[in-house]
Amino acid sequence: MHGPTSPAWLLVALCAATGAYCLLRMRSGVEEQRRAAGGEALMGFGMAVMAVPATAFTPPGWAWPLYAAVFGAAALRTLWAARSGPHHLHHLVGTGAMVYMSLAMAASPTSHHHAHTGAGEPLVTGALLLYFTGYVLVSGARLVPAAAPAGGTVAPRWGDRPELARACRLSMGIGMVAMLMTM
């Protein structure tokens, strides 16, 4: 990722924290939540690694194709899971975006310098930016608290808190917008 170093480190911290919380969510008692949390943890940590500023670490040339292969495999797994419900389609777009960014970095003539200006196809980058910007706006609106139901309810475990899962997805969406804007 190119650009100022401080925002890049903030993006690394945001994505790593999101990935760490998603690992906690994998302890949920609900299998579907565990499975989704695993994919989201992969995305969070993958985005964190991809966002490390070039001043700290420049990946070797073989890293980008390897990255594309890992997220390509995750996309195939998500495509298989999408048969059971449309809620997996967002994960498919996310893994596809990671494959796209990895391939754009691999094809960039200056990829070994981490200077990514002009990497990728503008139409694809623009479409992904529109999608993730819309996703961030809708996800942010969903986080607005609703009126609490009357009566005492048992607080859910950390891995089963839907508002935190939504906040994780929102932060990864924000991170994806930031990463796509630097392409």
Side-chain angles (χ1 to χ4, degrees):
M1 187 173 147
H2 76 289
T5 302
S6 294
W9 282 118
L10 289 173
L11 184 58
V12 169
L14 175 73
C15 293
T18 299
Y21 177 70
C22 289
L23 286 179
L24 285 177
R25 285 183 38 227
M26 288 180 69
R27 298 175 58 195
S28 171
V30 181
E31 182 180 346
E32 182 61 32
Q33 288 180 9
R34 284 192 310 265
R35 196 173 300 142
E40 290 168 2
L42 175 68
M43 285 291 291
F45 289 127
M47 289 171 62
V49 170
M50 190 179 267
V52 170
T55 57
F57 174 71
T58 302
W62 53 265
W64 295 117
L66 177 65
Y67 219 64
V70 167
F71 281 99
L76 289 175
R77 184 181 179 286
T78 304
L79 183 61
W80 183 258
R83 298 174 305 118
S84 65
H87 60 279
H88 293 284
L89 294 177
H90 170 70
H91 292 174
L92 184 61
V93 173
T95 54
M98 292 296 282
V99 170
Y100 166 71
M101 288 189 291
S102 299
L103 292 175
M105 296 304 120
S108 176
T110 58
S111 63
H112 61 282
H113 295 294
H114 248 239
H116 306 308
T117 306
E121 292 295 319
L123 188 60
V124 176
T125 303
L128 287 170
L129 267 171
L130 282 174
Y131 172 81
F132 282 105
T133 300
Y135 181 81
V136 164
L137 292 173
V138 169
S139 295
R142 286 184 185 160
L143 281 176
V144 174
T153 59
V154 177
R157 296 178 354 177
W158 279 98
D160 295 329
R161 297 188 61 164
E163 72 278 7
L164 291 178
R166 281 189 221 115
C168 268
R169 292 181 191 118
L170 174 64
S171 64
M172 283 193 287
I174 292 168
M176 191 65 79
V177 168
M179 291 173 77
L180 286 165
M181 288 180 67
T182 63
M183 290 188 73

